[in-house]
Amino acid sequence: MAKVLVVTSGKGGVGKTTTTAALGAALAQGGQSVCVVDFDVGLRNLDLVMGAERRVVYDLINVVNGDAKLPQALIKDKRLETLHLLPASQTRDKDALTDAGVARVMDELRDKFDWVICDSPAGIERGAQLAMHHADVAVVVTNPEVSSVRDSDRIIGLLDSKTAKAEKGEDMEKHLILTRYDPMRADRGDMLKTEDVLDILSIPLLAIIPESQEVLRASNLGCPVTLNNPLCAPARAYADAARRLKGETVPMSLPVERKSFLDKLFMRRAA
Amino acid sequence: MSILGLFQKRSSGAVARDRLQLILAHERAESGRPDLVIQLREEILAVIANHVAVEPDKVKVTLERGEGVSTLGLDIELPLGASAKLDAKLAAKLAEVAANKGSAKPASSKKAA
């Protein structure tokens, strides 16, 4: 029986899709069976970040409508045996997703996997609410930046009122992932500090992902950052986050790039 | 390209550009017919169902978008000693396909009759 996790934020461009791919791959690297589900109907991108865009045949809406069975629509990752993708439709409207249809697909996914990770669209409209509705756990992705923190606060409100868990009067487990964090700027006082963000949002911290060129490089190549370069700082931060989600206690630290002399020497060539 | 360039790994930015060009070319070409694969599958299955009873769940459809072409793969499980009897659900679907087509293809019109 899977744990259903939604990756959400309110604001766009803060790293939901990157986080979904990285957490999905990190959990699969740890031996768990994982399905990442793209809920961004009309603007799918998880397939691109996962490097599966050329192999998409069916999508979530095809499964909801009964045009394809779930196993036919799942795309198996070529690098990780236990990682699967259910893409969003690129051509249809999100209104093609019925509440009952999504509920049925989520039930089926729950039976098949250890983890189901739903990549939410930006915004607070129906698409975002559908993505979070069946979640057991929410990961709120936030940048240390005023508009992102404000939007995250809105999303936390929705998680506590509009989800199946909330409707049953249960507590939604929520975690914060702070992305694009630049310790130098935070030290200079030019960026919201981690404590400030945690203070304002008052949900527990799951990980701090440092600003890094490795994130862009991984998405260029279509490979989750935890898989593309497992030793880089953002990958280690995501790997720790995955272990915390599994219930392990991992001390929180801000991973920094380890640079050897050779790394520095070859840095320009590798970029 | 310099001599050094021959030994250098292609930059991730160049990989990103190539991936985008390929997938966008396919998306633009597919944009007029979003259900092409579903329709192809239904019609191919209809032809096969004339001869063998095919379980719709035992059909694996793959698509690989490449440079200038797409490769459609159909992996169909044919049961041993299968008769030409049609499963009721499939027959209904085929009739629907035939109706949608109007002047239907030989395979589907035969089914609908």
Side-chain angles (χ1 to χ4, degrees):
Chain A
M1 197 67 169
K3 227 175 188 181
V4 178
L5 188 152
V6 63
V7 177
T8 187
S9 70
K11 193 176 184 305
V14 295
K16 286 182 296 296
T17 303
T18 301
T19 298
T20 303
L23 284 180
L27 286 164
Q29 282 165 298
Q32 309 268 293
S33 68
V34 181
C35 184
V36 290
V37 185
D38 194 346
F39 269 87
D40 205 344
V41 175
L43 289 173
R44 76 165 170 231
N45 273 322
L46 187 56
D47 57 333
L48 207 52
V49 171
M50 302 277 295
E53 74 280 2
R54 287 162 60 167
R55 294 191 289 136
V56 173
V57 189
Y58 299 119
D59 55 54
L60 178 60
I61 289 184
N62 292 141
V63 181
V64 166
N65 289 348
D67 290 327
K69 294 271 190 277
L70 179 63
Q72 295 173 322
L74 293 173
I75 301 174
K76 206 167 165 188
D77 189 90
K78 284 193 166 163
R79 300 149 298 208
L80 286 169
E81 187 79 354
T82 58
L83 181 59
H84 296 75
L85 164 70
L86 182 56
S89 170
Q90 182 71 331
T91 48
R92 262 177 266 231
D93 198 69
K94 62 182 177 309
D95 296 331
L97 288 176
T98 59
D99 292 351
V102 171
R104 178 177 58 80
V105 175
M106 293 309 290
D107 279 347
E108 221 177 308
L109 284 167
R110 256 181 220 276
D111 284 342
K112 273 186 192 302
F113 295 98
D114 298 326
W115 292 89
V116 177
I117 307 183
C118 305
D119 185 18
S120 171
I124 52 170
E125 305 299 323
R126 183 154 182 271
Q129 294 189 18
L130 268 178
M132 68 170 66
H133 192 78
H134 300 277
D136 306 308
V137 192
V139 166
V140 179
V141 181
T142 308
N143 288 169
E145 186 265 327
V146 286
S147 59
S148 173
V149 176
R150 181 201 221 172
D151 291 358
S152 292
D153 192 62
R154 280 297 302 278
I155 277 292
I156 291 169
L158 289 182
L159 287 166
D160 287 333
S161 61
K162 297 281 186 183
T163 52
K165 272 207 146 185
E167 283 163 8
K168 278 187 276 179
E170 293 171 22
D171 267 345
M172 169 71 81
E173 186 184 329
K174 297 176 291 287
H175 300 276
L176 181 77
I177 288 191
L178 199 58
T179 53
R180 310 202 69 163
Y181 192 79
D182 184 341
M184 300 257 277
R185 276 198 274 168
D187 278 352
R188 281 204 306 268
D190 289 337
M191 188 184 246
L192 280 166
K193 284 189 162 61
T194 311
E195 307 84 75
D196 301 337
V197 180
L198 290 173
D199 223 35
I200 294 165
L201 295 178
S202 49
I203 60 171
L205 182 65
L206 186 66
I208 305 170
I209 314 297
E211 173 83 59
S212 163
Q213 58 181 3
E214 287 296 331
V215 173
L216 178 62
R217 192 176 289 157
S219 83
N220 280 345
L221 298 172
C223 186
V225 68
T226 49
L227 203 55
N228 191 50
N229 182 359
L231 295 178
C232 71
R236 283 183 287 135
Y238 278 122
D240 284 352
R243 288 171 59 198
R244 289 183 194 111
L245 284 172
K246 284 195 286 182
E248 291 178 39
T249 312
V250 184
M252 186 72 67
S253 64
L254 178 64
V256 287
E257 299 291 358
R258 291 177 191 140
K259 284 203 188 84
S260 69
F261 173 70
L262 271 180
D263 277 343
K264 283 179 189 158
L265 196 67
F266 288 111
M267 214 167 64
R268 281 186 52 210
R269 284 192 49 192
Chain B
M1 191 193 270
S2 68
I3 304 265
L4 234 173
L6 291 173
F7 301 101
Q8 212 162 357
K9 242 171 73 180
R10 218 151 55 101
S11 73
S12 76
V15 176
R17 181 200 58 215
D18 293 351
R19 293 175 60 221
L20 276 172
Q21 280 175 340
L22 192 142
I23 199 65
L24 291 181
H26 280 277
E27 279 180 1
R28 287 170 190 151
E30 286 164 22
S31 69
R33 327 191 50 181
D35 291 330
L36 180 64
V37 172
I38 292 176
Q39 202 180 348
L40 284 175
R41 183 195 64 183
E42 297 299 325
E43 290 180 18
I44 293 170
L45 279 180
V47 172
I48 293 169
N50 277 333
H51 306 281
V52 191
V54 183
E55 186 91 41
D57 295 2
K58 299 283 169 68
V59 179
K60 217 175 96 193
V61 184
T62 57
L63 192 66
E64 179 82 43
R65 297 174 182 85
E67 291 285 348
V69 286
S70 288
T71 315
L72 177 69
L74 266 112
D75 220 322
I76 303 170
E77 217 173 272
L78 299 178
L80 274 180
S83 69
K85 264 188 283 165
L86 273 179
D87 141 309
K89 230 168 91 188
L90 185 61
K93 233 177 185 171
L94 293 177
E96 197 184 303
V97 171
N100 286 344
K101 295 241 65 173
S103 60
K105 298 241 157 70
S108 32
S109 62
K110 202 160 142 200
K111 280 303 108 200

